Amino acid sequence: MGLVTQIRSNEDLEEQLNAAGIMLVVIQFFAKWSGPCKEVTPKIEQMSSEYADSLFLKIDVDECEQIAEEYKLSNLPAFVLIRATQVVRKYEGIDEAEIKQLIEQYK
């Protein structure tokens, strides 16, 4: 099983993004109370194994409100794909095929 690292602060996120270099970073924004977030989380954990050449992070929007606001998200779960510290794509939803297609496109 792959590893999805939970981010707890801005510093934490910055450190992970800088360490990733040109590797694709997939950030899952979630809330513990959200049914769709609970539904998609095991799929994302599986994807982190399938796409070991990408870095998977997750951010609880209730714990890290400031980070969530910076990315201007309107729905959960939300995914932000980043390469070389730049946002390349945002996706809001739980369509596993769509998420995989985006990872393939940008990795």
Side-chain angles (χ1 to χ4, degrees), residues 2-65:
L3 179 67
V4 180
T5 304
Q6 182 146 359
I7 298 300
R8 307 231 179 251
S9 68
N10 270 336
E11 296 76 28
D12 204 2
L13 179 59
E14 201 171 297
E15 193 176 289
Q16 291 284 346
L17 291 177
N18 288 334
I22 61 166
M23 182 188 303
L24 178 66
V25 179
V26 179
I27 305 175
Q28 174 191 6
F29 287 88
F30 74 99
K32 291 180 180 123
W33 46 262
S34 165
C37 291
K38 289 177 187 171
E39 183 182 332
V40 80
T41 293
K43 296 173 184 173
I44 299 305
E45 289 170 358
Q46 179 62 38
M47 282 182 218
S48 73
S49 292
E50 292 173 39
Y51 299 102
D53 55 348
S54 298
L55 176 64
F56 285 76
L57 306 174
K58 62 183 179 179
I59 298 176
D60 184 328
V61 297
D62 293 323
E63 284 181 18
C64 300
E65 290 178 36

Side-chain angles (χ1 to χ4, degrees), residues 45-91:
E45 289 170 358
Q46 179 62 38
M47 282 182 218
S48 73
S49 292
E50 292 173 39
Y51 299 102
D53 55 348
S54 298
L55 176 64
F56 285 76
L57 306 174
K58 62 183 179 179
I59 298 176
D60 184 328
V61 297
D62 293 323
E63 284 181 18
C64 300
E65 290 178 36
Q66 182 186 358
I67 297 173
E69 286 173 16
E70 285 174 26
Y71 286 97
K72 296 175 177 51
L73 308 170
S74 52
N75 292 304
L76 291 176
F79 299 88
V80 176
L81 281 65
I82 296 175
R83 181 179 281 278
T85 70
Q86 299 298 310
V87 173
V88 292
R89 188 67 190 267
K90 289 182 190 176
Y91 171 74

